[in-house]
Amino acid sequence: MFIVFEGIDGTGKSTQVNLLADALRQQGREVVTSKEPTDGPHGTRLRQSADTGRLSPQEELDLFHLDRKEHIASLIKPSLERGAVVILDRYFFSTMAYQGVRGFDPLEIRRINEEFAPLPDHVFILELDLDTALDRIGVRDGEANQFEQRDSLQKCHEVFAALDDDFIHRVDAGQTPEKVHEGVLSHLS
Ligand code: TYD
């Protein structure tokens, strides 16, 4: 089983990854958790670029794809093949959203990814209103980048909102972590 958590920054994805992993381990399953960007060389370069100056849109897109290819080959595929549950914090739906904001067509990004990236069995989109999300990630009114950030996250939200595959489940991330977790479990049972 391959499960992915998606959502804009501040929605609490990593907390939900851990709660779900613990719950499934208690049922005796082997669970592998991971995230994108990864801690590998491409992912590290992407994270560093947040501080050292953002890469061009094309360089950034290419690096996310390289990072994902390596992630699939080294961890995702081998884990799924031996029967483990894989739970990810972000996958190619984030590329559709975030690199979509940088000018690429989200559907074209999806098409490229589906050529090499296995489809998840379940994708949980954690939904949260923008003000709460900005508050949680520490962007306050009046900060210089507030409008830019708000606009970008709004566009990401719209890309996530447009996904309508059978494997997509939406959960209200404004609730307590325990309630969000219950919502996730209810879709899996
Ligand atoms: P994030 O999950 O916020 O990591 P952390 O909280 O550990 O810094 O991911 C970092 C950023 O990467 C986030 O703003 C979304 C962005 N991102 C993309 O732009 N494209 C992608 O394909 C992925 C997976 C992430």
Side-chain angles (χ1 to χ4, degrees):
M1 192 158 54
F2 183 18
I3 302 170
V4 171
F5 283 87
E6 292 279 9
I8 59 172
D9 305 76
T11 47
K13 294 181 299 302
S14 59
T15 304
Q16 292 305 319
V17 167
N18 291 331
L19 286 172
L20 182 58
D22 288 346
L24 294 176
R25 284 184 186 121
Q26 273 176 17
Q27 294 175 10
R29 292 173 186 256
E30 186 200 349
V31 180
V32 174
T33 64
S34 189
K35 66 178 179 195
E36 292 191 3
T38 70
D39 290 330
H42 305 300
T44 302
R45 199 154 156 237
L46 282 160
R47 281 176 199 283
Q48 281 169 350
S49 74
D51 302 322
T52 57
R54 205 155 172 192
L55 303 164
S56 75
Q58 188 67 53
E59 263 183 308
E60 197 179 75
L61 180 68
D62 292 345
L63 275 179
F64 274 114
H65 287 161
L66 281 175
D67 187 45
R68 182 161 306 125
K69 281 178 185 164
E70 213 167 86
H71 198 200
I72 291 165
S74 67
L75 185 122
I76 298 173
K77 269 209 171 145
S79 305
L80 290 173
E81 277 166 8
R82 67 167 190 271
V85 178
V86 173
I87 311 177
L88 296 189
D89 179 344
R90 297 193 186 279
Y91 195 44
F92 68 72
F93 308 93
S94 278
T95 320
M96 293 172 66
Y98 287 82
Q99 277 58 57
V101 169
R102 296 205 79 188
F104 295 98
D105 174 7
L107 294 179
E108 177 63 10
I109 292 177
R110 179 167 181 163
R111 193 191 61 71
I112 292 166
N113 276 270
E114 285 190 357
E115 284 175 3
F116 67 87
L119 275 184
D121 299 298
H122 299 279
V123 176
F124 293 99
I125 312 267
L126 302 188
E127 297 204 308
L128 192 62
D129 77 86
L130 274 185
D131 289 318
T132 313
L134 287 168
D135 217 40
R136 285 194 192 170
I137 61 178
V139 180
R140 308 278 163 198
D141 288 347
E143 266 186 36
N145 66 356
Q146 200 226 353
F147 293 108
E148 201 191 347
Q149 280 229 31
R150 201 190 161 80
D151 194 45
S152 299
L153 288 185
Q154 172 63 33
K155 286 183 185 146
C156 287
H157 167 81
E158 283 163 13
V159 174
F160 289 135
L163 297 167
D164 70 347
D165 307 78
D166 291 343
F167 53 74
I168 299 279
H169 315 292
R170 293 173 204 288
V171 182
D172 173 8
Q175 314 171 88
T176 61
E178 292 72 24
K179 283 278 171 208
V180 177
H181 177 57
E182 281 174 25
V184 167
L185 289 180
S186 74
H187 285 289
L188 290 178
S189 60

